[in-house]
Amino acid sequence: MVTMKLIVLLLLCCLLSSSSADDTVVTKRRFPKNFKLGVANAAPQIEGAWDTDGKGETIWDHFARTRPEMISDRSTPAVACDSYHKYKEDVALVKNMGLDVYRLSIAWSRVLPTGKIDSVNQLGVQYYKKLLKELKDNNVQAMVTLYHWDLPQPLQDEYGGWLNETVVDLFVDYAKLCFELFGDDVQWWVTINEPKQVCNAGYGDGRFAPGIVSRGIGEYVCNKNVILAHAKAYRIYDEQYRSKQGGKVSMVIDTLWFEPSSDNPGDIDASERLLQFGFGMFGNPIFLGDWPKLVKDRVAMRSKLEGFAVSRLPEFTQEEIKLIKGTYDYLGLNHYATHMASAAQEAPIGEPSFGADISTYEWSKPEWTKGAGDWFSVVPWGLRKLLVWLKKNYGDVEIVITENGLSDTSGTLEDDHRVDYFRDYISNCLDAIYEDNVNLTTYIAWSIIDDWEWTGGYGSFLGMYKVDFNDPERPRIKRKSADYFTQIVKNRCLVDVEDCTD
Ligand code: NOJ
């Protein structure tokens, strides 16, 4: 009986899948009927035109200009892909690939150059209206991020940016204005993109703009403020715009998958700590109402030993919990890579830091394929495990992968490694849907064109189209992955169309 079952299982496996280069068994199953595919990018990385038509300076314009040593090639986003002038060309690429969704971001300082509501820049407004119209005319859904890391510099100068609660209300004014101006043409809103990067790198270790170093303190103050900003914007949409505009609103949270390095409880705990201090830090308040207990306990324990009178992690009041809990219409996930997680000794008590609060060891197997940078380990099954973890923690919520893609440093047009990446990661998405009943409805790749990669400058590439940054015309040049992606969008399947199964 058991042998019979085994044979049936093996047969089923062969019928429904085929093997890929790195051991992923690529599913032959067709995408679910309403499964959507798209591509993403963000204003500060592609638009350029940094001070054109009245746009104000952002913290990234300022950071790159004033602290060039922080950017690997000392470049700035001043011109980037010049999408401000070439947006029609970009939308045409999206259209020609047959995609359902285009994820873009609005530059706060293009609409409100000072960051404040009394400074509306009509030319900036017109730009986004034209871009959204272009998408509508081409029957492509718009997913619009309100904050993709580009705080107007005046709000950093005047208030200290996300460390100040005043910025929460200024963000809410800006979000409301965007709902009012653009909401009729937006199907999906993202309030804040990757709050962990905004806070940890921007206000913790200072690697990202605005470069504030306040380890173990700044991150947490910033976390609370971005969560409040998100929640207040969500409530306004819900109360004032949802009934007439019918869009969905959420925050986009990033995390790696952390695979426990053994079955030992310490290693399993290490994985859970990394996930809770990462995704859970934002997912728990929004989906469940408060910081993860594990995080609260650890930061309180270490704060006490460090001599702080109260925990470095600010509490939410009951009123705030009520405001925040449930402010999601979908779960937005950015995911690129996986690390191993191992137990480590408790970090010595001394200077506070986020890393010490977690006190774990994360590492990458040398045999794993890497993207640009050793941290970027390509482990497609990590995404499937992560999706299952999300379902277990947050329930049967609609999940949207809002970013996934491969960076390299060669920029080659023959990007077979990117083809493999997309095939194997999407295959794991389909397995999560079909085998694990994960409610994943949409997959959005990063990215359609190369871009300015923050501190990585113009030196790492994620586009299905290369952008020649040495040419003033910034031509878009097709890579192999663009053809592959177009083909899977058309076939709604990862393998040759005659091999696809329902
Ligand atoms: C995540 C960020 O949201 C995006 O801006 C960045 O370019 C990608 N990661 C790739 O590094």
Side-chain angles (χ1 to χ4, degrees), residues 42 45 148-149 193-194 334 336 403 446 451 453-454 462:
Q45 297 179 269
H148 205 115
W149 308 358
N193 176 69
E194 297 198 356
N334 284 1
Y336 288 88
E403 286 184 32
W446 188 283
D451 57 21
E453 273 294 318
W454 312 108
L462 289 108

